[in-house]
Amino acid sequence: MAVADMELFNAWIQVLQLSNLKQGQSVSILTDPGTHPQTLSTAIAATLSLGATVTRVDLPAVNAARSLSRDKTAYVGSTALTGNRAAIAALKASDLVLDLMLLLFSPEQDEIMKGGTKILLAVEPPEVLVRLVPTLEDRRDVLAAAALLEQARSMRVTSAAGTNVEFPLGAYPLLKEYGFVDEPGKWDHWPSGFVATWPNDHTAQGKIVLDCGDIWTPWKEYIRSPIELTIEKGYVTSIDGGLDAEFLKDYMGTFNDPDAYAISHIGWGLQKRAHWSVLGLFDKEATLGMDARAFAGNFLFSLGPNNEVGGSNNSPCHIDIPMRNCTVALDGVEVVRKGKLCEELNQ
Ligand SMILES: [Fe+2]
């Protein structure tokens, strides 16, 4: 569905104001051939209208020959910025980078933020951006959940489908995604609405049973047949089930990388304007699937790298799996019960 330029412009204004963009600050807009033209043009207009200076850093496409998927999250770490000192210098000299390309999990992203530059990723289609434009209430909800997760030393996830897994916590920082960047050196993703962290290295233990209707990326589809993942010492050690298990085994095997099987970020969705059913309404090549990652009450876990938070796993294979109907407990206290936020259950 077409989005009016003015609507997306106004959404950018809201995001930039929530991100405390001030007159005279410098904004770099990072683009590549996959950048949505309307997202770019309205970002430039909104940034200029708030009195900031704008530099567009347009980089060539990379990774096409290495990745099996057209989804940019399917092959991470190495980007068009890798080794490009001129572009990195421009981004580091900026107060704010609008990433309309997708730098996720790249060391260059860390380098840019260390100097205080903020980075906001925005690659979902305009229809999704305007529906899920972030608010202060989103930030409040995410920070409240993060306060619970920050103190926890273990997360246990269970489900009627057979999931029963324990993740010892405490070694890694949190990911608090609420969709705008209001602090120096912060990274965020518009749209968002979830919290996550990474389990301590080599400690996650148990079983995750992906049920019909759970979602996996980069396929961006609903799982059709249950998959049983055995987790030992932080790694998936066996993948059992029918057709979808075969898909997963085959795809992960193509990376020929033992670190692809590590448990990566784990957390839960908080965004009430994101919905489980939306993924089925979009052309899968048009969306990253943020509704799936953020819908309230999901349990989102992933496989692959943890270098984003200082770990040593830099696998290029990254698979996000939002699950329904799970119960998530922190140190024995439930925060999600059978796929519903406990705060909602208590209202
Ligand atoms: Fe992820």
Side-chain angles (χ1 to χ4, degrees), residues 20 30 45 62 74 83 111 115 166 182 207 228 248 263 278 281 287 309 313 316 321 325 334 336 341:
N20 301 322
L30 186 59
V62 295
E111 184 184 339
E166 173 116 31
D182 53 345
K207 194 157 281 196
E228 189 171 305
L248 191 59
I263 298 291
V278 166
L281 302 172
T287 175
V309 283
N313 186 331
I321 304 179
N325 306 322
E334 292 177 357
V336 174
L341 295 173

Side-chain angles (χ1 to χ4, degrees), residues 40-52:
L40 173 62
S41 62
T42 52
I44 292 172
T47 307
L48 289 174
S49 82
L50 292 174

Side-chain angles (χ1 to χ4, degrees), residues 104-105 264-265 293 300 302 318-320:
L104 207 53
F105 296 106
S264 180
H265 56 81
R293 288 180 175 87
L300 171 63
S302 69
H318 185 66
I319 298 175
D320 278 347

Side-chain angles (χ1 to χ4, degrees), residues 57 77 114 134 149 180 194 230 234-235 273 288 305:
V57 178
K114 275 196 181 113
L149 183 54
F180 56 93
F194 59 82
T230 303
Y235 284 78
R273 285 170 290 133
L288 212 54

Side-chain angles (χ1 to χ4, degrees), residues 21-22 24-28 47 52-55 90 93-97:
L21 184 66
K22 299 284 186 287
Q25 288 191 319
S26 61
V27 176
S28 287
T47 307
T53 61
V54 179
T55 305
S94 310
D95 296 297
L96 170 64
V97 172

Side-chain angles (χ1 to χ4, degrees), residues 215-236:
I215 290 170
W216 56 0
T217 69
W219 292 272
K220 289 181 281 195
E221 286 174 353
Y222 300 91
I223 289 172
R224 298 150 292 185
S225 57
I227 306 172
E228 189 171 305
L229 304 175
T230 303
I231 319 288
E232 296 173 296
K233 296 181 180 170
Y235 284 78
V236 173

